[in-house]
Amino acid sequence: MTSPVSYERKGSIAVVTADNPPVNALGQAVRQGLVDAVERAAGDDAVKAVVIRCAGRTFFAGADIREFGKPPLDPPLRRVHEVITECPKPVVAAIHGTALGGGFETALACHYRIAVPSAKVGTPEVNLGILPGAGGTQRLPRLVGVENALELVVFGRPVGAKQALAMGAIDEIAKGDLEADAIAYAERLVAEGAPLRKVSDLPIEKTPEVEAAIARYRERIARERRGFFAPQRCIDAVEAAVTLPFEEGMARERELFNECMANPQSRAQRYAFFAEREAGSVPGIGKQTPIREIRAVAVIGAGTMGGGIAMNFADIGLPVTIVEASDEALERGLGVVRRNYESAARKARITAAEVDARMALITGVTDYQAVADADLIIEAVYEDMALKKDIFGTLDAVAKEGAILATNTSTLDVDEIAAVTGRPGDVIGLHFFSPANVMRLLEIVRGAKTTEDVIATAMKMAKKIGKVGVLSGVCYGFIGNRMLDVYAREAELMLLEGATPARIDKALYDFGMAMGPFAMFDLAGVDVAWKTRESHRDRAPKDPSYYHIGDLLAEMGRHGQKVGRGYYKYEEGSRTPIPDPEVEALIRSEAQKLGIEQREVDDTEIVARCLYPMINEGARILEEGIALRPGDIDTVWINGYGFPVYRGGPMFYGGEVGLDKVLAAIETYRERYGERFWTPSPLLEKLAKAGKTFAQWKDV
Ligand code: 3HC
């Protein structure tokens, strides 16, 4: 087998090139190839310095994650780094694309680093539930200072070449061709007799400021990375660089790395990484599928959703036309968009010039004729089938041939909407999550007649605007809201059984959810959820307890945060939910009316009662072919509903608990509550009986 690493001498410089598509992950063959090539350069008298570079789209993007959890293969990455660092000739890393994790650590093991201006470097391991395990936590603080190292390692966000240069993570920015510039740089180092700059030998700061920074990061992590196992270990590892000599620090890093690796969170986070990537692939759709070009976008509706959706496209430089019924509504909507951009500018996320440039791309109109040139039209008005049908009738008349007609519905039948047009193949659901300019999830809803090129275009577009696109079939609520319905239904029932909104929210928050269901309803609008239920009363369970409190609160005008009262109360201008004795009294009296006896409901029951029906519903979603795979369901919940990524999503979590246990609990609840909500899905039963998880759902 030929090595993915090639060796070439150009004058007095050995150029070592790795070529392991797609992202030059540092798999075994690459590691061996690097050792061989650098040792060869060391022994080649004609060579005075070495350049390590990568072919293809990026410098090494990290260790090969697919090798994790398998028996280790020689040589380990640390050995590769030893060979590089100990090379008696200067070794220069030539970086393009993204030098991440083990890839960046390889660059840190080199004596010098040069990068193209568009390159990014970083240590994203924490996002996989681990920490840099090949010396990153020991070398980085020596090179860039402890505080910069903490920021990179603990939060895992890569930085661009300019910032990397400023903090000392790289030494040079290439001005032209990277390889030529790297060779010239290496020649200059030789000519100047530059020392072999071993990062491991650099001194490290040991000051009270450093101690204070470490303490500050510990506090920040407890707040900002609640529930995560790895971030605290990242801090421990960087601290070891300060308190221990290099070799001992390396040993401590290894221990902490192994601890993270053995923790279930890392398994869940690695699973989520691959699930998210797999969600982008749809059987039957591939490179051969034509893509429609999107040069101009139109959005129908300038409400919160419409404005947020428009921002996504203006952000990537596409012109967007927003259609509204009146000038006042337009003005209001565009005002909100501008304020969102200005707020981003205040936080230094974009510049003031970018605010104007993006606003200049957005045009408000009240005439549908203005959408005639759009390649993609997204309807984002409120959930009303008659209104949506009316709009799609108009769009059918004015949109140009080949335009994609999308609806941002969260629950309505995309096929029924498509049927009012003469081009149902061009109609698709694009379900954005609020706030649409922030949330990463995009449910792409395939109608019965949606053509493959429309789906392929939507998938590609999702990636372009920085979203995770997940394909769903048509059903009430699609993947996400269909499962939300059963999750919050149980939370509602438990209110009547005696648990307060605050108690239920806390149990689910402690489980790791971004917020509990009642805080979420208050944020999203108690009336919004109620209106959706109203439009689906015909299919809703005929049970008096079904969203009983939610319906009452909506009818009482307790619509949530926006009016200062919902499941909770809120002080003027505050978003902090305060338990409201009035609501608690209402719940008690309604329970009495319905003949439901109140009792103590503990946290374990709260979590099980909310999550197990979701897992069961997820199994049905798979059986019905609404979701393509369990990982898609998990990707939806992690990116759209604040499910903790360190638990892998509801379907993965079910496997961790044990599907037999989930099934047993469902059967117990069935005995207690009857069939109404607790019929196990056949798929769940089969998997549980076979001792399998959803990973093997096709095998039963
Ligand atoms: N190992 C194995 N496969 C990887 C990989 C890795 N480190 N990184 C990416 N891939 C695979 C993806 O699964 C995907 O495979 P597919 O085509 O079969 O679905 C393919 O490479 C392309 O990836 P993306 O679709 O993500 O491509 P993008 O261009 O959108 O993004 C990227 C490229 C920014 C490099 C992104 O893939 C990424 O963030 N990768 C992970 C980087 C990372 O976490 N590195 C640290 C690894 S752990 C480590 O190094 C431990 C060390 O400290 C010891």
Side-chain angles (χ1 to χ4, degrees):
M1 207 177 78
T2 56
S3 169
V5 179
S6 65
Y7 180 94
E8 205 181 346
R9 195 160 54 72
K10 297 203 170 168
S12 62
I13 308 299
V15 178
V16 173
T17 305
D19 188 5
N20 183 30
V23 296
N24 285 310
L26 285 150
Q28 189 276 336
V30 176
R31 297 197 299 273
Q32 187 61 58
L34 284 173
V35 166
D36 294 345
V38 175
E39 282 180 343
R40 181 171 162 190
D44 184 342
D45 288 342
V47 167
K48 299 280 177 263
V50 186
V51 166
I52 297 182
R53 63 178 286 272
C54 289
R57 66 201 231 211
T58 180
F59 195 74
F60 308 108
D64 189 336
I65 307 169
R66 292 178 206 275
E67 285 183 1
F68 288 4
K70 299 186 184 146
L73 297 167
D74 274 339
L77 193 51
R78 285 173 168 224
R79 169 78 193 129
V80 179
H81 295 169
E82 236 169 60
V83 171
I84 293 174
T85 302
E86 295 310 321
C87 178
K89 302 163 186 178
V91 183
V92 174
I95 302 169
H96 74 294
T98 40
L100 298 177
F104 186 34
E105 289 173 299
T106 301
L108 295 176
C110 296
H111 304 119
Y112 296 93
R113 287 150 290 280
I114 178 170
V116 295
S118 59
K120 287 189 171 162
V121 301
T123 48
E125 285 91 337
V126 70
N127 301 322
L128 298 168
I130 55 175
L131 49 87
T137 66
Q138 305 306 298
R139 288 195 175 91
L140 255 182
R142 288 178 160 81
L143 193 61
V144 301
V146 175
E147 185 140 8
N148 282 329
L150 282 168
E151 188 63 32
L152 283 165
V153 173
V154 172
F155 288 101
R157 284 188 284 262
V159 293
K162 207 167 138 198
Q163 206 182 336
L165 182 73
M167 65 169 74
I170 60 170
D171 306 292
E172 289 266 330
I173 294 195
K175 295 188 178 61
D177 175 69
L178 177 62
E179 185 183 337
D181 282 6
I183 292 173
Y185 181 41
E187 284 169 346
R188 207 168 75 227
L189 290 168
V190 172
E192 288 169 359
L196 298 177
R197 190 158 165 260
K198 294 182 192 171
V199 178
S200 46
D201 289 348
L202 296 178
I204 190 154
E205 327 154 76
K206 288 182 191 170
T207 59
E209 287 75 32
V210 163
E211 265 175 47
I214 291 174
R216 223 174 29 251
Y217 270 83
R218 285 203 197 286
E219 266 173 45
R220 252 183 90 185
I221 281 303
R223 238 185 8 255
E224 295 177 28
R225 292 291 183 272
R226 177 178 59 91
F228 282 88
F229 182 81
Q232 291 289 358
R233 274 79 201 166
C234 287
I235 301 180
D236 293 347
V238 173
E239 189 175 34
V242 180
T243 53
L244 301 173
F246 183 77
E247 285 307 329
E248 285 175 40
M250 288 292 281
R252 180 75 185 125
E253 179 193 85
R254 169 80 1 202
E255 264 171 30
L256 291 162
F257 180 85
N258 288 342
E259 250 181 60
C260 288
M261 211 47 147
N263 189 282
Q265 290 198 0
S266 151
R267 201 165 51 241
Q269 287 178 256
R270 277 179 276 139
Y271 159 84
F273 174 86
F274 286 115
E276 183 180 316
R277 271 143 192 90
E278 202 180 0
S281 81
V282 179
I285 293 180
K287 290 205 166 66
Q288 80 290 350
T289 314
I291 300 283
R292 299 191 190 181
E293 207 168 330
I294 310 287
R295 286 188 224 90
V297 179
V299 177
I300 313 299
T304 318
M305 257 341 228
I309 292 171
M311 288 173 75
N312 283 293
F313 297 98
D315 288 351
I316 59 159
L318 289 183
V320 190
T321 305
I322 303 190
V323 186
E324 251 301 349
S326 71
D327 286 330
E328 298 77 65
L330 259 185
E331 212 172 295
R332 219 177 18 248
L334 291 177
V336 173
V337 172
R338 177 171 277 283
R339 279 197 294 283
N340 283 341
Y341 277 138
E342 282 169 350
S343 147
R346 269 196 305 280
K347 292 174 194 147
R349 292 201 186 118
I350 56 173
T351 63
E354 278 166 336
V355 175
D356 292 335
R358 291 181 199 190
M359 283 311 293
L361 284 167
I362 303 178
T363 316
V365 297
T366 51
D367 180 2
Y368 272 86
Q369 278 307 328
V371 308
D373 290 331
D375 304 296
L376 167 66
I377 307 175
I378 305 172
E379 163 276 310
V381 301
Y382 59 90
E383 291 288 85
D384 179 320
M385 183 54 102
L387 177 64
K388 290 197 192 251
K389 279 184 173 171
D390 195 39
I391 290 172
F392 272 77
T394 309
L395 292 181
D396 194 25
V398 296
K400 70 177 181 189
E401 198 188 320
I404 296 177
L405 310 183
T407 170
N408 176 50
T409 181
S410 52
T411 52
L412 297 173
D413 185 339
V414 174
D415 291 328
E416 202 180 326
I417 297 172
V420 303
T421 73
R423 39 175 134 174
D426 294 340
V427 177
I428 194 164
L430 291 181
H431 180 209
F432 288 81
F433 286 69
S434 189
N437 54 319
V438 178
M439 295 294 286
R440 286 187 78 219
L441 179 65
L442 181 66
E443 270 183 328
I444 297 176
V445 186
R446 164 190 224 155
K449 296 196 173 146
T450 311
T451 58
E452 289 189 340
D453 62 325
V454 168
I455 297 168
T457 306
M459 280 286 175
K460 187 161 178 215
M461 189 239 8
K463 204 163 179 184
K464 259 198 183 147
I465 58 172
K467 305 271 183 235
V468 187
V470 178
L471 194 71
S472 170
V474 174
C475 66
Y476 170 74
F478 315 127
I479 298 171
N481 280 349
R482 174 165 162 184
M483 288 167 73
L484 177 68
D485 185 71
V486 298
Y487 163 83
R489 174 202 76 205
E490 282 308 305
E492 270 268 340
L493 279 175
M494 284 185 281
L495 290 179
L496 293 167
E497 290 174 21
T500 62
R503 175 74 196 267
I504 293 172
D505 277 357
K506 177 157 189 326
L508 291 160
Y509 179 81
D510 288 347
F511 171 80
M513 299 299 292
M515 62 179 80
F518 302 117
M520 186 194 71
F521 281 136
D522 272 3
L523 178 68
V526 178
D527 55 324
V528 175
W530 173 70
K531 268 192 206 133
T532 307
R533 287 196 295 278
E534 282 295 289
S535 60
H536 292 275
R537 283 291 172 208
D538 51 330
R539 62 157 294 284
K542 306 284 172 282
D543 188 299
S545 64
Y546 178 77
Y547 285 95
H548 184 74
I549 300 298
D551 286 350
L552 277 181
L553 295 177
E555 284 155 17
M556 288 160 69
R558 295 191 66 117
H559 291 173
Q561 267 187 31
K562 59 189 166 193
V563 295
R565 41 209 284 282
Y567 287 90
Y568 297 93
K569 59 182 176 183
Y570 300 84
E571 275 168 7
E572 183 81 33
S574 159
R575 288 164 173 272
T576 311
I578 303 169
D580 189 344
E582 250 180 59
V583 173
E584 287 165 21
L586 173 83
I587 294 170
R588 276 194 301 275
S589 85
E590 290 302 312
Q592 208 170 18
K593 276 189 213 157
L594 294 173
I596 297 173
E597 201 175 316
Q598 296 223 310
R599 63 184 171 88
E600 168 72 18
V601 186
D602 67 22
D603 288 0
T604 313
E605 178 174 349
I606 292 171
V607 171
R609 288 269 300 276
C610 287
L611 291 179
Y612 294 180
M614 273 173 79
I615 297 166
N616 196 33
E617 198 64 30
R620 284 188 206 291
I621 284 172
L622 282 173
E623 281 167 335
E624 292 169 22
I626 297 295
L628 288 172
R629 26 182 120 75
D632 287 12
I633 299 177
D634 287 329
T635 303
V636 162
W637 270 80
I638 291 167
N639 293 286
Y641 296 85
F643 197 96
V645 62
Y646 60 77
R647 295 197 192 268
M651 308 311 274
F652 184 85
Y653 173 71
E656 293 285 283
V657 172
L659 295 184
D660 52 341
K661 292 203 182 71
V662 173
L663 178 64
I666 289 178
E667 282 167 346
T668 308
Y669 294 131
R670 179 168 55 181
E671 270 166 37
R672 193 195 293 171
Y673 296 102
E675 289 285 334
R676 52 178 188 166
F677 298 137
W678 293 100
T679 311
S681 99
L683 174 62
L684 177 67
E685 279 181 327
K686 275 190 253 168
L687 287 170
K689 291 197 174 120
K692 293 187 156 62
T693 68
F694 284 106
Q696 299 120 2
W697 75 289
K698 291 235 161 124
D699 303 343
V700 292

